[in-house]
Amino acid sequence: QVQLVESGGGLVQPGGSLRLSCAASGSIFSDNSMGWYRQAPGKQRELVARITNGGATGYADSVKGRFTISRDNSKNTVNLQMNSLKPEDTAIYYCNFYASGKFYWGQGTQVTVSS
């Protein structure tokens, strides 16, 4: 079993920045990928960014150039640096861990972008 704990969400003005962090614990396998998803009110959960154990990354088109995902394998953490935030970025952000055909999810952290 893998447990994920997110932190760093909050309220920020448009154009501001936030940094989300996710710490994984439990049965961690070396061959894995981690990512961030978000779900806005009335919308489906969508992939924001992902990163493999080897460091390969992928981003949703809506966040390219503004968000950066990174990980520290020694600490089993994944981070999401969010810059130039827009109101449409408002959502609950979820950390995800994938390995051996299984998905694990954090509890989610609220990000609100508003003046």
Side-chain angles (χ1 to χ4, degrees):
Q1 188 67 256
V2 176
Q3 294 80 44
L4 304 171
V5 180
E6 301 108 327
S7 63
L11 174 65
V12 65
Q13 295 183 347
S17 299
L18 283 174
R19 183 175 184 267
L20 305 182
S21 296
C22 174
S25 62
S27 301
I28 306 300
F29 296 93
S30 60
D31 189 8
N32 64 73
S33 65
M34 299 184 72
W36 289 94
Y37 292 69
R38 68 185 181 187
Q39 186 167 25
K43 299 182 65 177
Q44 296 181 338
R45 185 175 299 185
E46 64 177 353
L47 174 67
V48 177
R50 64 181 180 182
I51 184 168
T52 69
N53 178 259
T57 60
Y59 297 90
D61 288 340
S62 60
V63 306
K64 287 182 179 178
R66 299 189 297 120
F67 292 9
T68 301
I69 189 170
S70 62
R71 64 186 293 168
D72 186 337
N73 292 337
S74 65
K75 299 180 180 179
N76 292 321
T77 60
V78 62
N79 305 298
L80 185 69
Q81 179 66 46
M82 304 185 294
N83 299 324
S84 301
L85 284 163
K86 305 174 181 179
E88 48 264 47
D89 294 319
T90 296
I92 300 175
Y93 284 70
Y94 297 90
C95 180
N96 170 262
F97 179 94
Y98 175 76
S100 301
K102 299 179 181 178
F103 292 88
Y104 300 89
W105 297 94
Q107 80 286 351
T109 184
Q110 177 70 47
V111 172
T112 302
V113 184
S114 179
S115 298

